[in-house]
Amino acid sequence: MTGTDPTKDAPDVATLSYEQARDELVQVVGRLEAGGEPLEASLALWERGEALAARCQEWLDGARERLAAAQQASAVSTDSPEEAR
């Protein structure tokens, strides 16, 4: 490799918040759409984009699970005090 990896100094995807991952993904997509990157850099960007998209999906899945749990808990607590036990 010729040192054209544009993602080598990027933070670990697993440490990013949803907003950070989403914002970086937008930047990666923009760079790929603009073209002009060498093949190795484009591949590195593509891989980074895939990892960022997966991270965003993890956050969204977690949020859905938390929302469903909160809705279920709310439904149980409003049904009757006996069912909440």
Side-chain angles (χ1 to χ4, degrees):
M1 201 150 143
T2 60
T4 59
D5 184 352
T7 65
K8 69 177 179 162
D9 294 326
D12 182 11
V13 171
T15 65
L16 298 177
S17 69
Y18 172 79
E19 291 79 8
Q20 291 169 321
R22 181 202 57 216
D23 291 347
E24 186 179 342
L25 180 57
V26 168
Q27 292 173 0
V28 166
V29 169
R31 287 180 67 180
L32 287 169
E33 287 178 342
E37 297 284 346
L39 179 59
E40 288 296 322
S42 294
L43 289 172
L45 284 168
W46 179 270
E47 291 169 348
R48 179 75 176 177
E50 288 287 329
L52 291 164
R55 180 65 174 155
C56 288
Q57 191 62 53
E58 288 172 9
W59 274 105
L60 292 173
D61 291 344
R64 282 188 194 102
E65 290 172 12
R66 289 175 58 196
L67 179 59
Q71 288 174 333
Q72 185 178 16
S74 176
V76 168
S77 68
T78 58
D79 285 341
S80 76
E82 293 298 319
E83 291 182 27
R85 290 184 193 158

